[in-house]
Amino acid sequence: MSGVGVERLSSVCVAGHHTFRCRSKVRELVTAKSVDDLRTLHTEGFFEQNVIIIGHGSNCLFVDDLDVAVLKVDIGGLDARSHGDDQVLITVGAGVAWDDVVEWSIENRLGGVECMVRIPGTCGAAPIQNIGAYGQELRDRFHSLQAFHRQLGTLVTLASGDCEFGYRDSVFKRDPSWVITSISITLIKNGYVPSIQYPSLSRALNASSLTSPTLRQIADHVIAIRSSKLPNPATHPNAGSFFKNPLLRGDQATAFLQTHPEASVFGVDGGTIKVSAGWLIEQTGWRGKMLGDVGVWPEHALVLYRTPTGRATGNDVIRLARSVKTAVYAQFGVQLQCEVRIHSCGQQDQKI
Ligand code: FAD
Ligand code: NAP
């Protein structure tokens, strides 16, 4: 028996619950709207089976029918309180849209997340890959989060160090025991100096002759750049960057730089370099190409998308991703890794 808050649907297609919108029937779709709902599910033994957690499904691909339960975390709420003299600590439910928090912070003149405007998805998913854009990352403003342990049924608070944030990475990618129920971030009230070093953003602000832009102006310029480069999932189903920018270390980094001095590369730390995956894909000639009803977005080679009227399946998306990955490896000896979380009956990991 479920608690009054838990919503359950059996044998349901989750096409409407991920932004690639590929058809995939799952055994059960369960929506939890509170921590109490999670406790109820734990008591019922729900977490003893194979469970896939989703928020808004903007970083995942359901490939085929799956004999699993999908748990949609839809916990709401936003609380703001002073944090020292110059900061505000805000705590938001895992189901709240990240972009609503960014817009709220801009309206309230609180700095620190304005460059991450229009990143789709929920606040609960934001720590999973330490979301980031235009020079800001979640970890820069992260305070703590609350998470429910699937097996133990306990609710704990985790600080930044516990989350092991890295480049589009966190402990949660390696340890799926946790259901994030809320996150807390600190925003800056007084004395905020916006960071506008990111090249395309800084160029756009300069072009508008904005030397001391407001938070709203920064966000609006980010929105304009994003709209010019990225397909809208509502019209062209996609999940943003399909691959991560590869990090190369040691001998591999040295060899890559010697062989490809023209490559788009950024230093990370201690000899590690980040290579633009979009640049690698462009060199293979895949940008703008189609494979059936799936394509590589012409304005952004990292984004794979389905045509609006096509019938492409999740397997068609995987086929294109494999072709792109193989071409990059053949030309550069670099293995691309998926950023998008793949849910397929044929595999349990991110390898395609
Ligand atoms: P989902 O896709 O539903 O889930 C993603 C992962 O998080 C899954 O592994 C899931 O199991 C896990 N998860 C979700 N909720 C919880 C929870 N409550 N507890 C535990 N695990 C959970 N990302 C960026 O970093 N920067 C960008 O600029 C960016 N731009 C994008 C642009 C487009 C057009 C699209 C479609 C995507 C973009 N993304 C970007 C990727 C995506 O927006 C982020 O990864 C986002 O955080 C996903 O949120 P979601 O709620 O949709 O997560
Ligand atoms: P871009 O400006 O064309 O640059 C390509 C890549 O180079 C980016 O991924 C970025 O890495 C890296 N880069 C550029 N300038 C850099 C610098 N000065 N220092 C370090 N790294 C630099 O990128 P884009 O693809 O249009 O995306 C713009 C921003 O939005 C990026 O931050 C990107 O991460 C984010 N974005 C993410 C997604 C997603 O789904 N994850 C989708 C669209 C946009 P970083 O990714 O580390 O910033």
Side-chain angles (χ1 to χ4, degrees):
M1 220 184 70
S2 298
V4 282
V6 181
E7 288 174 14
R8 312 185 88 135
L9 293 168
S10 295
S11 189
V12 63
C13 174
V14 291
H17 296 273
H18 67 128
T19 55
F20 254 120
R21 298 209 300 276
C22 296
R23 292 191 65 76
S24 163
K25 200 154 75 168
V26 300
R27 180 155 26 91
E28 193 180 25
L29 174 67
V30 175
T31 304
K33 291 185 175 288
S34 68
V35 173
D36 278 348
D37 285 353
L38 295 176
R39 290 199 176 102
T40 303
L41 289 167
H42 180 261
T43 307
E44 290 174 354
F46 174 80
F47 291 109
E48 284 158 26
Q49 61 186 324
N50 197 354
V51 176
I52 293 172
I53 301 173
I54 59 165
H56 289 169
S58 63
N59 204 25
C60 60
L61 170 67
F62 283 85
V63 177
D64 35 32
D65 292 348
L66 295 168
D67 186 24
V68 299
V70 172
L71 173 66
K72 191 174 171 88
V73 183
D74 190 20
I75 301 173
L78 187 153
D79 173 77
R81 57 191 65 197
S82 287
H83 187 67
D85 290 342
D86 298 324
Q87 297 192 1
V88 172
L89 178 71
I90 69 159
T91 299
V92 265
V96 174
W98 168 259
D99 192 48
D100 288 352
V101 174
V102 177
E103 287 293 345
W104 180 93
S105 70
I106 294 168
E107 271 165 37
N108 287 280
R109 299 185 185 191
L110 299 169
V113 291
E114 61 285 350
C115 295
M116 293 190 274
V117 69
R118 296 298 185 270
I119 297 183
T122 56
C123 290
I128 307 294
Q129 69 157 359
N130 175 28
I131 57 166
Y134 296 93
Q136 289 180 342
E137 281 187 327
L138 178 76
R139 71 172 150 189
D140 303 334
R141 305 293 350 138
F142 184 84
H143 179 273
S144 58
L145 60 77
Q146 285 216 305
F148 183 85
H149 196 282
R150 294 193 203 196
Q151 282 76 40
L152 303 176
T154 47
L155 187 69
V156 300
T157 300
L158 301 177
S160 191
D162 303 319
C163 299
E164 297 174 20
F165 290 124
Y167 176 63
R168 303 294 175 270
D169 193 32
S170 74
V171 71
F172 307 107
K173 284 197 170 177
R174 296 177 286 283
D175 178 2
S177 314
W178 302 100
V179 183
I180 295 170
T181 58
S182 69
I183 66 168
S184 298
I185 57 176
T186 54
L187 297 171
I188 303 167
K189 188 169 54 176
N190 299 318
Y192 180 61
V193 182
S195 162
I196 40 176
Q197 309 301 315
Y198 196 89
S200 53
L201 176 58
S202 134
R203 273 196 305 275
L205 290 165
N206 283 339
S208 302
S209 305
L210 291 168
T211 45
S212 300
T214 62
L215 298 176
R216 184 72 264 163
Q217 286 167 331
I218 294 171
D220 285 347
H221 281 72
V222 170
I223 292 169
I225 302 170
R226 292 183 73 100
S227 324
S228 70
K229 293 181 80 168
L230 294 171
N232 181 349
T235 53
H236 295 80
N238 75 86
S241 301
F242 201 89
F243 300 103
K244 293 202 275 191
N245 291 322
L247 299 178
L248 308 183
R249 298 178 178 84
D251 291 347
Q252 196 190 10
T254 311
F256 182 86
L257 290 172
Q258 275 168 0
T259 330
H260 303 288
E262 76 291 8
S264 181
V265 166
F266 306 91
V268 179
D269 53 41
T272 299
I273 57 165
K274 179 177 75 180
V275 184
S276 161
W279 184 87
L280 293 172
I281 296 168
E282 272 174 46
Q283 307 313 303
T284 67
W286 266 104
R287 186 169 89 159
K289 287 208 174 140
M290 309 284 305
L291 199 59
D293 287 333
V294 190
V296 179
W297 190 245
E299 312 303 327
H300 199 303
L302 257 187
V303 180
L304 308 188
Y305 72 101
R306 295 174 54 223
T307 57
T309 51
R311 292 170 162 251
T313 62
N315 275 311
D316 295 328
V317 178
I318 296 292
R319 206 165 298 128
L320 174 62
R322 274 194 196 125
S323 303
V324 169
K325 191 178 149 120
T326 304
V328 167
Y329 187 70
Q331 194 165 333
F332 297 100
V334 173
Q335 288 282 10
L336 291 182
Q337 286 178 354
C338 293
E339 178 179 302
V340 170
R341 313 299 290 174
I342 312 291
H343 300 305
S344 153
C345 63
Q347 65 185 68
Q348 295 304 318
D349 58 30
Q350 288 301 100
K351 294 198 177 69
I352 55 163

